Amino acid sequence: MSTTVITLILLILLNDSKEIMKGEFTLKEKQVDTRNNIVKIIIGLLVIVLAIGLVYFTNDDSIEFELSDKAKSTITLEYGSSISENAKDYLDMDKVDETIANKTIVTIKSSTNDDENTESNDYQDVGNYVVTLTYNDLSLTVNIEIVDTTAPEFINLKDEYEVTSDNKLSIEDFEATDLSNDITITIDDSDVDYTKEGTYIATITASDPYDNSTSKEISVIVAVDEDNDDESSNNDSSDSDSISTSIDFTDCNETVFVVNTSSLNVRKGPDTSYATIGTLSKGASVKRTGTSSNGWSRITYNGTNAYASSKYLSTTKPSSSSSSSSSSSSTTTSSGFDVSSLKVASSTNKIIIVTANSSSSSSGTFAYYEKSNGTWSKVISTSAALGRNGINKTKEGDGKTPTGLYRFSKLMGIASNPGTIMSYTKITSTMYWCGTTVAYYNQLIDESVQTHDCDKSNDEHLIDYTSAYKYLAVINYNSSNTYNKGSAIFLHCKTGSSTAGCVAIPESYMKQMMKKIDSSTVIIIDIASNINSSKY
């Protein structure tokens, strides 16, 4: 509606009012004044209404639709973070009406290909992206750069490795984790002399495709296999069936296993001067019928008497065996514990083991095991962030992660349910985790259901932790709600190198775990040396 139209309407109304006044000369003076006042009031109201309409219909361009200062420049995100699809994360909400923000359409497009919302494992790949915000005919764009600056982390890396000349360091001995899932492990063992006993230093490096790498020095202890020494000195003239009678054997009848070597030579006689007639691999079992004072064993090999060094034979079966008789149901980690041997393994099919590097370490490893058809297997392995002051939690605010064996009491998240087995609670703005008041200590409080008089500045307002609590599983630490013992101990998404006391893993793995955890799932948190069958 234009100002010209409004002007014409006003003129018509004014002209009508004059005609009315001319035709009413016979009325009393008071009536004339009253009518004139009424006309003026009507005209004034019409002018106000028309003016408001004019402003409303002619000022669409005055709608505030502006980016925040942060969004006006390129936003850099670490690989593993998801690009937000919430317009409020980009708009200047001090100026933009919330109704407009809620109606704004957000689209994400890669700058390097034509696919919209290009994602891998629920987060975007490394590269450049454009976020477009659209409201009616208004449009804004935000540039996003995804970078990977996080180096791979070794899993269960030991300080020392024992090797022999026949069993050198191999990349299969090492494992590392990285979100890129494209890790190259290299070994620099140029200073290791595999032919000479001793302790040497080697360097292990794990690299990803984005020039991030982690290098660790390890001690390499070389043990020369005495039985394999001086093979070239074998005396062919001793290739006879006659065995020296100067060596006395004590008869026995027992099963023994090959240990401490990857390959044990079997000989015709009790000395390295006798010819080799075969080999036994590590973990293989044989029947021993006699032992000698000079360190040799008489064994039954292919139905006849043969001899092998007693140094590499033991009546105790090794925990990890390569023999055909070894059990396939055990899973032994490089930290030295066998998941199947844990006491708790008989009561659950799902075990999470969080291993701290030391009691003061704020980082460690996370491994999830499942048992299927009687066989345990490692399903997920990644790095874990722990309490900023390490483990062994004792009280509220000590910055430590609790140690021990726990289960999960609740699954929650700011994001939508990813498909959990247990019931799932969607986090809302009315939810707090209480850590201050005795009556509600270490409990979830939903103010839409109940009120509480806690000091909310010290309680956790869950929805404020937009990244960390996108998915979380409540660990049932301090389930008795003992005041000041510690509260809000969760397994949640990793956002930094340490936590206030929780266990955190990368978001992509956390989403997978949300689909795995059930009421029987166990989580063990401790240093590697404490994780054994007698304790857990």
Side-chain angles (χ1 to χ4, degrees):
M1 187 177 290
S2 66
T3 54
T4 304
V5 175
I6 294 175
T7 304
L8 289 174
I9 293 173
L10 292 175
L11 289 173
I12 293 171
L13 291 172
L14 289 170
N15 184 62
D16 288 344
S17 66
K18 290 179 180 179
E19 292 298 324
I20 292 172
M21 288 187 287
K22 287 180 181 179
E24 298 294 335
F25 287 119
T26 59
L27 296 177
K28 295 179 180 181
E29 188 69 23
K30 185 176 181 179
Q31 291 175 319
V32 172
D33 290 340
T34 300
R35 181 163 296 186
N36 285 343
N37 289 335
I38 292 173
V39 170
K40 290 178 181 178
I41 291 172
I42 294 173
I43 292 173
L45 290 173
L46 289 172
V47 170
I48 292 172
V49 171
L50 291 171
I52 293 173
L54 179 64
V55 171
Y56 182 81
F57 287 107
T58 59
N59 285 277
D60 284 344
D61 293 340
S62 67
I63 293 176
E64 292 284 359
F65 193 62
E66 186 175 338
L67 295 174
S68 64
D69 291 340
K70 178 182 177 181
K72 288 178 181 179
S73 56
T74 299
I75 297 175
T76 302
L77 299 176
E78 181 65 22
Y79 184 41
S81 302
S82 298
I83 296 177
S84 175
E85 297 181 10
N86 188 345
K88 296 179 184 178
D89 291 337
Y90 307 104
L91 296 173
D92 187 343
M93 295 308 297
D94 291 335
K95 298 179 181 178
V96 179
D97 186 85
E98 186 165 350
T99 302
I100 292 174
N102 291 336
K103 293 182 179 179
T104 298
I105 298 173
V106 178
T107 57
I108 303 170
K109 189 172 183 178
S110 171
S111 300
T112 55
N113 58 60
D114 295 329
D115 296 329
E116 291 191 3
N117 296 312
T118 301
E119 296 187 3
S120 172
N121 293 325
D122 303 312
Y123 48 85
Q124 287 80 8
D125 292 327
V126 172
N128 297 311
Y129 297 81
V130 175
V131 176
T132 303
L133 311 176
T134 305
Y135 175 75
N136 292 340
D137 294 331
L138 303 177
S139 180
L140 298 170
T141 58
V142 180
N143 294 317
I144 306 285
E145 182 182 15
I146 304 289
V147 298
D148 185 355
T149 63
T150 303
E153 295 185 17
F154 284 105
I155 298 175
N156 297 323
L157 185 68
K158 296 185 293 185
D159 294 330
E160 296 181 349
Y161 287 81
E162 294 186 5
V163 299
T164 67
S165 57
D166 293 328
N167 188 24
K168 300 179 181 180
L169 285 179
S170 169
I171 59 174
E172 283 76 21
D173 297 328
F174 306 97
E175 185 178 2
T177 181
D178 188 78
L179 282 181
S180 68
N181 291 321
D182 184 7
I183 305 172
T184 301
I185 295 179
T186 57
I187 302 173
D188 181 2
D189 58 352
S190 56
D191 292 332
V192 179
D193 186 350
Y194 289 101
T195 65
K196 184 178 180 181
E197 286 190 350
T199 301
Y200 306 88
I201 299 297
T203 302
I204 313 301
T205 302
S207 306
D208 67 17
Y210 305 105
D211 297 326
N212 302 305
S213 63
T214 298
S215 295
K216 299 289 185 180
E217 287 189 347
I218 60 171
S219 296
V220 182
I221 302 173
V222 177
V224 176
D225 192 338
E226 293 180 1
D227 183 43
N228 291 327
D229 288 346
D230 302 322
E231 286 293 325
S232 60
S233 66
N234 285 346
N235 186 352
D236 292 338
S237 64
S238 64
D239 273 4
S240 64
D241 292 330
S242 61
I243 305 301
S244 174
T245 58
S246 62
I247 300 176
D248 294 327
F249 278 84
T250 301
D251 292 337
C252 62
N253 186 9
E254 58 189 2
T255 300
V256 291
F257 302 88
V258 177
V259 296
N260 301 328
T261 183
S262 60
S263 179
L264 175 62
N265 288 333
V266 178
R267 298 182 180 275
K268 283 188 174 184
D271 190 273
T272 56
S273 62
Y274 288 89
T276 300
I277 59 174
T279 59
L280 294 170
S281 60
K282 183 178 181 180
S285 61
V286 293
K287 183 69 69 175
R288 179 159 62 186
T289 60
T291 57
S292 70
S293 59
N294 69 337
W296 285 82
S297 291
R298 184 176 65 223
I299 63 175
T300 301
Y301 184 78
N302 290 336
T304 61
N305 285 338
Y307 299 85
S309 172
S310 297
K311 178 181 178 180
Y312 301 100
L313 295 174
S314 172
T315 56
T316 302
K317 184 178 180 180
S319 59
S320 179
S321 173
S322 60
S323 68
S324 59
S325 62
S326 65
S327 172
S328 62
S329 63
S330 66
T331 300
T332 303
T333 72
S334 57
S335 293
F337 52 82
D338 182 355
V339 175
S340 66
S341 69
L342 298 176
K343 290 186 292 185
V344 73
S346 62
S347 61
T348 182
N349 293 325
K350 299 179 178 182
I351 297 178
I352 297 169
I353 296 181
V354 178
T355 309
N357 299 331
S358 68
S359 60
S360 61
S361 178
S362 62
S363 63
T365 58
F366 176 100
Y368 169 65
Y369 300 86
E370 278 186 2
K371 183 169 68 174
S372 178
N373 297 322
T375 300
W376 283 96
S377 59
K378 185 189 293 185
V379 179
I380 292 174
S381 181
T382 185
S383 59
L386 305 175
R388 61 180 178 274
N389 294 323
I391 58 174
N392 297 323
K393 186 175 191 66
T394 58
K395 62 181 180 179
E396 181 77 31
D398 61 6
K400 295 182 179 181
T401 299
T403 55
L405 184 152
Y406 305 98
R407 287 182 168 81
F408 297 93
S409 59
K410 189 183 295 290
L411 299 183
M412 306 176 66
I414 295 173
S416 299
N417 189 339
T420 61
I421 299 172
M422 293 173 61
S423 60
Y424 182 81
T425 301
K426 184 81 167 3
I427 293 175
T428 66
S429 60
T430 60
M431 293 181 179
Y432 293 81
W433 201 277
C434 182
T436 55
T437 303
V438 174
Y440 304 105
Y441 188 76
N442 196 29
Q443 297 177 49
L444 171 66
I445 302 297
D446 186 348
E447 287 196 317
S448 67
V449 179
Q450 65 183 117
T451 58
H452 75 301
D453 55 359
C454 296
D455 178 5
K456 295 174 188 174
S457 62
N458 292 320
D459 290 344
E460 286 199 12
H461 189 209
L462 300 179
I463 204 165
D464 292 342
Y465 300 86
T466 54
S467 297
Y469 293 170
K470 188 172 182 179
Y471 305 108
L472 72 83
V474 180
I475 299 173
N476 70 340
Y477 170 77
N478 191 17
S479 57
S480 61
N481 308 117
T482 302
Y483 183 70
N484 207 38
K485 185 178 180 180
S487 62
I489 303 300
F490 308 139
L491 171 64
H492 62 70
C493 301
K494 186 178 180 182
T495 58
S497 59
S498 64
T499 70
C502 295
V503 177
I505 59 177
E507 181 184 314
S508 61
Y509 293 109
M510 188 62 206
K511 186 174 183 180
Q512 293 180 52
M513 287 307 308
M514 294 295 283
K515 302 174 185 179
K516 299 285 188 181
I517 293 173
D518 59 23
S519 58
S520 70
T521 303
V522 166
I523 180 169
I524 297 173
I525 309 168
D526 215 326
I527 59 175
S529 59
N530 286 341
I531 302 176
N532 51 59
S533 58
S534 61
K535 186 170 184 178
Y536 296 109

